[in-house]
Amino acid sequence: MEQKAFDVIVEKLGEVLAKQEFQRAPDESEDGVRLAVFTGENLAYAVAYSMKTKRMELRTCAMTNDGPDKNWKTLSGWLYDPQPGESDDVESIVNDFCETVEGPKRVAALQTAKKKRAKTEESTADPVFMFNRFSGLYPELRMDLIDERSKYATVRPIAFTRACILPRVQKTLASAAPESAPLQKLAELFGDLYENGDFDVRSILTMVLLNGLDETAVKEKLVPLFSEELQKAYKAGLKLRGTKVKPEKVKKQPRVVAEALQNTQGK
């Protein structure tokens, strides 16, 4: 009975995830838990069933170049141990799992991602790429990214940068000595992302991160390590620090700069 229920849940969830460009990976098992895994560009989902605990779970984790990182986080869990004559709850589990990965926010996020990829095909680094690069310096960001995607079905560039990246960069800036290895790596990352990033990445780096850090520390510790181009961009962005600017046409400002301006105006 458990095997049949597992197959039904996996099949129905797979139909929903296929619309979001997820693909079925080979089934796995670990410590008596059977896993059916679906992989996407940045995220993986799995249906897991434990014969020992009789739990059916929907899990998620981040993707790496080698596949799911397997730091699974449970999004939903159900006790599945039907007794003779009782409802087996399969339909309820299917509906719950599908609603978790589906819904208007996730469909909208998928469409937005498709449009953005089409507009920035020539760019080598978008905000998600930037966040993954920062995860190399701050590994704990990987779990923050999972939490962000689980809650919002996407990563909100401005909000995520301010909440999760800015405080960590500020801590590095405050504690590291000038020209130390941590600062060298941080400056190199800023420079590489600015050089290869798309419009959104450059805006986040200058308007959100650099303008959000302690100005004195940035000038004394980071700016001397920047390229000439990034130094000019930092100085230009600094002139707009604290200003209130209203976009002429809000509805036609989908880029993160417009969002940053709107957020600044609302403070």
Side-chain angles (χ1 to χ4, degrees):
M1 182 178 292
E2 291 88 352
Q3 181 63 50
K4 181 178 179 180
F6 183 88
D7 291 340
V8 170
I9 294 168
V10 170
E11 179 184 359
K12 297 298 182 182
L13 183 67
E15 293 174 358
V16 171
L17 289 175
K19 298 176 183 177
Q20 299 180 38
E21 300 183 349
F22 282 80
Q23 297 182 345
R24 177 83 177 270
D27 287 357
E28 303 178 17
S29 61
E30 52 181 39
D31 298 328
V33 178
R34 182 179 175 186
L35 292 173
V37 180
F38 299 88
T39 58
E41 183 177 0
N42 300 300
L43 197 66
Y45 289 106
V47 176
Y49 182 70
S50 170
M51 290 295 296
K52 182 178 180 180
T53 63
K54 303 296 183 180
R55 277 182 61 84
M56 195 80 70
E57 296 181 344
L58 174 64
R59 301 177 179 179
T60 188
C61 72
M63 288 290 292
T64 68
N65 292 334
D66 298 321
D69 67 9
K70 297 188 178 180
N71 293 317
W72 295 107
K73 174 183 177 181
T74 300
L75 298 177
S76 180
W78 289 69
L79 178 64
Y80 185 79
D81 187 21
Q83 301 301 315
E86 294 182 352
S87 171
D88 62 7
D89 284 331
V90 170
E91 184 176 353
S92 297
I93 297 174
V94 167
N95 291 337
D96 178 49
F97 286 7
C98 289
E99 287 174 3
T100 300
V101 303
E102 202 177 22
K105 287 185 178 180
R106 293 184 180 272
V107 174
L110 178 62
Q111 296 302 320
T112 299
K114 287 182 178 179
K115 292 178 181 178
K116 186 169 184 178
R117 283 198 299 270
K119 290 181 179 179
T120 60
E121 286 180 351
E122 297 181 358
S123 300
T124 58
D126 61 8
V128 172
F129 178 86
M130 182 186 73
F131 299 144
N132 288 331
R133 287 292 306 276
F134 269 104
S135 295
L137 290 183
Y138 308 106
E140 60 271 23
L141 281 174
R142 295 190 178 96
M143 185 55 66
D144 292 334
L145 284 167
I146 291 176
D147 291 340
E148 178 80 0
R149 291 190 180 102
S150 298
K151 186 174 182 180
Y152 299 101
T154 186
V155 180
R156 304 163 300 156
I158 300 295
F160 185 81
T161 300
R162 284 178 174 157
C164 300
I165 297 180
L166 182 60
R168 291 184 171 98
V169 174
Q170 180 61 57
K171 185 177 180 180
T172 299
L173 197 59
S175 62
E179 298 187 3
S180 62
L183 279 182
Q184 291 280 355
K185 291 181 180 179
L186 186 60
E188 289 175 4
L189 179 57
F190 268 90
D192 184 54
L193 288 171
Y194 188 83
E195 180 180 354
N196 298 296
D198 63 11
F199 182 85
D200 290 347
V201 167
R202 290 188 168 202
S203 299
I204 291 173
L205 289 173
T206 55
M207 300 298 294
V208 180
L209 274 177
L210 290 177
N211 271 4
L213 296 168
D214 179 75
E215 184 177 347
T216 301
V218 171
K219 288 182 176 180
E220 292 179 354
K221 295 183 177 181
L222 276 182
V223 172
L225 303 175
F226 286 164
S227 65
E228 182 178 352
E229 182 183 13
L230 185 50
Q231 287 184 10
K232 290 180 180 179
Y234 168 67
K235 292 178 181 178
L238 199 59
K239 295 178 181 179
L240 298 176
R241 189 174 187 173
T243 60
K244 296 182 179 181
V245 183
K246 181 179 180 180
E248 291 183 356
K249 298 180 180 180
V250 177
K251 293 183 179 180
K252 294 186 179 181
Q253 289 281 356
R255 292 189 179 278
V256 294
V257 169
E259 183 180 350
L261 294 175
Q262 287 176 306
N263 290 342
T264 300
Q265 184 184 19
K267 289 182 179 181

